[in-house]
Amino acid sequence: MKPPSNLDFNLKLAPLHLGTCCAFILCNMDKVNISVAIIPMAKDMGWSVSTAGFLQSAFFYGFALSQLPGGYLATRFGGARMLPIGVLLWSTATAVVPFVAGDPKLLFIARAMVGLGEGISPAAATDVIARTVPLKERSRAVAFVFNGFNIGSVLGLSLAPLIIENFGWRTVFYIFGGIGVLWVTWVGLGIYRRGGAT
């Protein structure tokens, strides 16, 4: 029997790479959406500039706190298990924002939870790649997957204003959060399991 070529192997892994890249696209879309939405939110809620800035910083508290635990959890339980948990956490927290926006304390917690979920993701994605991609292919896989951050920033900052202008600021959180929940079903519970990611 003819052994599989590198091309065959790469094609076999393509859905896994694309799915993981999409997680990072969503990651930065949910990270940057408040940068646009904060303007109409502050107007509606009557926030001062300092309050708006404080609320925008909430993400980074959660993100910073979850980096090291995220690495441990990815190593202990596997990135293919932890990445869907992270995506579900940040997506749910994103979708909750319109419901808690009237209370700055609850909004701060929701945005910190977005950061917590996203902080798990780099280590989890790296673990997925390490467990499924041959050593000589890993650099390309990492570059492809992590480029999702840049794509997500561009998409988030481009789409959020259009959504907000046409449907209001609450809608952008519903849509972006909902897409993340769909990712969990499509990739976390589908592609990862079928592709043998652990």
mmCIF file with all atom_site columns, all heavy atoms in Angstrom, residues 11-23:
data_model
loop_
_atom_site.group_PDB
_atom_site.id
_atom_site.type_symbol
_atom_site.label_atom_id
_atom_site.label_alt_id
_atom_site.label_comp_id
_atom_site.label_asym_id
_atom_site.label_entity_id
_atom_site.label_seq_id
_atom_site.pdbx_PDB_ins_code
_atom_site.Cartn_x
_atom_site.Cartn_y
_atom_site.Cartn_z
_atom_site.occupancy
_atom_site.B_iso_or_equiv
_atom_site.pdbx_formal_charge
_atom_site.auth_seq_id
_atom_site.auth_comp_id
_atom_site.auth_asym_id
_atom_site.auth_atom_id
_atom_site.pdbx_PDB_model_num
ATOM 1  N N   . LEU A 1 11 ? -4.335  17.656 3.781  1.00 0.00 ? 11 LEU A N   1
ATOM 2  C CA  . LEU A 1 11 ? -5.755  17.744 3.460  1.00 0.00 ? 11 LEU A CA  1
ATOM 3  C C   . LEU A 1 11 ? -6.604  17.100 4.548  1.00 0.00 ? 11 LEU A C   1
ATOM 4  O O   . LEU A 1 11 ? -7.691  17.578 4.860  1.00 0.00 ? 11 LEU A O   1
ATOM 5  C CB  . LEU A 1 11 ? -6.020  17.078 2.108  1.00 0.00 ? 11 LEU A CB  1
ATOM 6  C CG  . LEU A 1 11 ? -5.474  17.815 0.883  1.00 0.00 ? 11 LEU A CG  1
ATOM 7  C CD1 . LEU A 1 11 ? -5.711  17.003 -0.381 1.00 0.00 ? 11 LEU A CD1 1
ATOM 8  C CD2 . LEU A 1 11 ? -6.081  19.199 0.752  1.00 0.00 ? 11 LEU A CD2 1
ATOM 9  N N   . LYS A 1 12 ? -6.089  16.038 5.128  1.00 0.00 ? 12 LYS A N   1
ATOM 10 C CA  . LYS A 1 12 ? -6.818  15.373 6.204  1.00 0.00 ? 12 LYS A CA  1
ATOM 11 C C   . LYS A 1 12 ? -6.948  16.283 7.418  1.00 0.00 ? 12 LYS A C   1
ATOM 12 O O   . LYS A 1 12 ? -7.965  16.289 8.113  1.00 0.00 ? 12 LYS A O   1
ATOM 13 C CB  . LYS A 1 12 ? -6.090  14.081 6.586  1.00 0.00 ? 12 LYS A CB  1
ATOM 14 C CG  . LYS A 1 12 ? -6.778  13.292 7.693  1.00 0.00 ? 12 LYS A CG  1
ATOM 15 C CD  . LYS A 1 12 ? -5.980  12.043 8.029  1.00 0.00 ? 12 LYS A CD  1
ATOM 16 C CE  . LYS A 1 12 ? -6.631  11.298 9.194  1.00 0.00 ? 12 LYS A CE  1
ATOM 17 N NZ  . LYS A 1 12 ? -5.848  10.099 9.583  1.00 0.00 ? 12 LYS A NZ  1
ATOM 18 N N   . LEU A 1 13 ? -5.910  17.079 7.675  1.00 0.00 ? 13 LEU A N   1
ATOM 19 C CA  . LEU A 1 13 ? -5.899  17.969 8.836  1.00 0.00 ? 13 LEU A CA  1
ATOM 20 C C   . LEU A 1 13 ? -6.534  19.329 8.554  1.00 0.00 ? 13 LEU A C   1
ATOM 21 O O   . LEU A 1 13 ? -6.740  20.114 9.481  1.00 0.00 ? 13 LEU A O   1
ATOM 22 C CB  . LEU A 1 13 ? -4.469  18.184 9.330  1.00 0.00 ? 13 LEU A CB  1
ATOM 23 C CG  . LEU A 1 13 ? -3.784  16.984 9.975  1.00 0.00 ? 13 LEU A CG  1
ATOM 24 C CD1 . LEU A 1 13 ? -2.336  17.311 10.292 1.00 0.00 ? 13 LEU A CD1 1
ATOM 25 C CD2 . LEU A 1 13 ? -4.522  16.553 11.234 1.00 0.00 ? 13 LEU A CD2 1
ATOM 26 N N   . ALA A 1 14 ? -6.842  19.623 7.291  1.00 0.00 ? 14 ALA A N   1
ATOM 27 C CA  . ALA A 1 14 ? -7.342  20.951 6.928  1.00 0.00 ? 14 ALA A CA  1
ATOM 28 C C   . ALA A 1 14 ? -8.588  21.356 7.720  1.00 0.00 ? 14 ALA A C   1
ATOM 29 O O   . ALA A 1 14 ? -8.656  22.497 8.209  1.00 0.00 ? 14 ALA A O   1
ATOM 30 C CB  . ALA A 1 14 ? -7.605  21.015 5.425  1.00 0.00 ? 14 ALA A CB  1
ATOM 31 N N   . PRO A 1 15 ? -9.596  20.485 7.876  1.00 0.00 ? 15 PRO A N   1
ATOM 32 C CA  . PRO A 1 15 ? -10.765 20.906 8.664  1.00 0.00 ? 15 PRO A CA  1
ATOM 33 C C   . PRO A 1 15 ? -10.413 21.251 10.105 1.00 0.00 ? 15 PRO A C   1
ATOM 34 O O   . PRO A 1 15 ? -10.966 22.203 10.673 1.00 0.00 ? 15 PRO A O   1
ATOM 35 C CB  . PRO A 1 15 ? -11.693 19.679 8.604  1.00 0.00 ? 15 PRO A CB  1
ATOM 36 C CG  . PRO A 1 15 ? -11.276 18.941 7.386  1.00 0.00 ? 15 PRO A CG  1
ATOM 37 C CD  . PRO A 1 15 ? -9.787  19.152 7.286  1.00 0.00 ? 15 PRO A CD  1
ATOM 38 N N   . LEU A 1 16 ? -9.480  20.500 10.681 1.00 0.00 ? 16 LEU A N   1
ATOM 39 C CA  . LEU A 1 16 ? -9.073  20.771 12.060 1.00 0.00 ? 16 LEU A CA  1
ATOM 40 C C   . LEU A 1 16 ? -8.368  22.124 12.165 1.00 0.00 ? 16 LEU A C   1
ATOM 41 O O   . LEU A 1 16 ? -8.652  22.919 13.065 1.00 0.00 ? 16 LEU A O   1
ATOM 42 C CB  . LEU A 1 16 ? -8.155  19.646 12.540 1.00 0.00 ? 16 LEU A CB  1
ATOM 43 C CG  . LEU A 1 16 ? -7.817  19.619 14.028 1.00 0.00 ? 16 LEU A CG  1
ATOM 44 C CD1 . LEU A 1 16 ? -7.738  18.174 14.505 1.00 0.00 ? 16 LEU A CD1 1
ATOM 45 C CD2 . LEU A 1 16 ? -6.488  20.306 14.280 1.00 0.00 ? 16 LEU A CD2 1
ATOM 46 N N   . HIS A 1 17 ? -7.461  22.400 11.204 1.00 0.00 ? 17 HIS A N   1
ATOM 47 C CA  . HIS A 1 17 ? -6.751  23.684 11.197 1.00 0.00 ? 17 HIS A CA  1
ATOM 48 C C   . HIS A 1 17 ? -7.718  24.833 10.980 1.00 0.00 ? 17 HIS A C   1
ATOM 49 O O   . HIS A 1 17 ? -7.657  25.861 11.662 1.00 0.00 ? 17 HIS A O   1
ATOM 50 C CB  . HIS A 1 17 ? -5.688  23.703 10.096 1.00 0.00 ? 17 HIS A CB  1
ATOM 51 C CG  . HIS A 1 17 ? -4.550  22.783 10.346 1.00 0.00 ? 17 HIS A CG  1
ATOM 52 N ND1 . HIS A 1 17 ? -3.649  22.422 9.377  1.00 0.00 ? 17 HIS A ND1 1
ATOM 53 C CD2 . HIS A 1 17 ? -4.149  22.137 11.459 1.00 0.00 ? 17 HIS A CD2 1
ATOM 54 C CE1 . HIS A 1 17 ? -2.751  21.603 9.873  1.00 0.00 ? 17 HIS A CE1 1
ATOM 55 N NE2 . HIS A 1 17 ? -3.035  21.409 11.137 1.00 0.00 ? 17 HIS A NE2 1
ATOM 56 N N   . LEU A 1 18 ? -8.619  24.661 10.008 1.00 0.00 ? 18 LEU A N   1
ATOM 57 C CA  . LEU A 1 18 ? -9.571  25.729 9.697  1.00 0.00 ? 18 LEU A CA  1
ATOM 58 C C   . LEU A 1 18 ? -10.499 25.987 10.880 1.00 0.00 ? 18 LEU A C   1
ATOM 59 O O   . LEU A 1 18 ? -10.783 27.134 11.216 1.00 0.00 ? 18 LEU A O   1
ATOM 60 C CB  . LEU A 1 18 ? -10.379 25.358 8.456  1.00 0.00 ? 18 LEU A CB  1
ATOM 61 C CG  . LEU A 1 18 ? -11.416 26.387 7.997  1.00 0.00 ? 18 LEU A CG  1
ATOM 62 C CD1 . LEU A 1 18 ? -10.745 27.710 7.650  1.00 0.00 ? 18 LEU A CD1 1
ATOM 63 C CD2 . LEU A 1 18 ? -12.204 25.848 6.803  1.00 0.00 ? 18 LEU A CD2 1
ATOM 64 N N   . GLY A 1 19 ? -10.957 24.917 11.505 1.00 0.00 ? 19 GLY A N   1
ATOM 65 C CA  . GLY A 1 19 ? -11.834 25.072 12.665 1.00 0.00 ? 19 GLY A CA  1
ATOM 66 C C   . GLY A 1 19 ? -11.161 25.786 13.810 1.00 0.00 ? 19 GLY A C   1
ATOM 67 O O   . GLY A 1 19 ? -11.754 26.649 14.466 1.00 0.00 ? 19 GLY A O   1
ATOM 68 N N   . THR A 1 20 ? -9.891  25.447 14.049 1.00 0.00 ? 20 THR A N   1
ATOM 69 C CA  . THR A 1 20 ? -9.147  26.095 15.131 1.00 0.00 ? 20 THR A CA  1
ATOM 70 C C   . THR A 1 20 ? -8.870  27.556 14.788 1.00 0.00 ? 20 THR A C   1
ATOM 71 O O   . THR A 1 20 ? -8.966  28.436 15.652 1.00 0.00 ? 20 THR A O   1
ATOM 72 C CB  . THR A 1 20 ? -7.832  25.342 15.410 1.00 0.00 ? 20 THR A CB  1
ATOM 73 O OG1 . THR A 1 20 ? -8.117  23.960 15.620 1.00 0.00 ? 20 THR A OG1 1
ATOM 74 C CG2 . THR A 1 20 ? -7.135  25.893 16.641 1.00 0.00 ? 20 THR A CG2 1
ATOM 75 N N   . CYS A 1 21 ? -8.553  27.826 13.526 1.00 0.00 ? 21 CYS A N   1
ATOM 76 C CA  . CYS A 1 21 ? -8.357  29.215 13.078 1.00 0.00 ? 21 CYS A CA  1
ATOM 77 C C   . CYS A 1 21 ? -9.639  30.026 13.278 1.00 0.00 ? 21 CYS A C   1
ATOM 78 O O   . CYS A 1 21 ? -9.587  31.178 13.716 1.00 0.00 ? 21 CYS A O   1
ATOM 79 C CB  . CYS A 1 21 ? -7.935  29.223 11.612 1.00 0.00 ? 21 CYS A CB  1
ATOM 80 S SG  . CYS A 1 21 ? -7.650  30.876 10.941 1.00 0.00 ? 21 CYS A SG  1
ATOM 81 N N   . CYS A 1 22 ? -10.774 29.411 12.987 1.00 0.00 ? 22 CYS A N   1
ATOM 82 C CA  . CYS A 1 22 ? -12.059 30.109 13.163 1.00 0.00 ? 22 CYS A CA  1
ATOM 83 C C   . CYS A 1 22 ? -12.310 30.475 14.623 1.00 0.00 ? 22 CYS A C   1
ATOM 84 O O   . CYS A 1 22 ? -12.927 31.502 14.917 1.00 0.00 ? 22 CYS A O   1
ATOM 85 C CB  . CYS A 1 22 ? -13.202 29.255 12.634 1.00 0.00 ? 22 CYS A CB  1
ATOM 86 S SG  . CYS A 1 22 ? -13.292 29.203 10.832 1.00 0.00 ? 22 CYS A SG  1
ATOM 87 N N   . ALA A 1 23 ? -11.806 29.633 15.541 1.00 0.00 ? 23 ALA A N   1
ATOM 88 C CA  . ALA A 1 23 ? -11.935 29.970 16.961 1.00 0.00 ? 23 ALA A CA  1
ATOM 89 C C   . ALA A 1 23 ? -11.220 31.279 17.261 1.00 0.00 ? 23 ALA A C   1
ATOM 90 O O   . ALA A 1 23 ? -11.726 32.125 18.011 1.00 0.00 ? 23 ALA A O   1
ATOM 91 C CB  . ALA A 1 23 ? -11.378 28.848 17.833 1.00 0.00 ? 23 ALA A CB  1
#
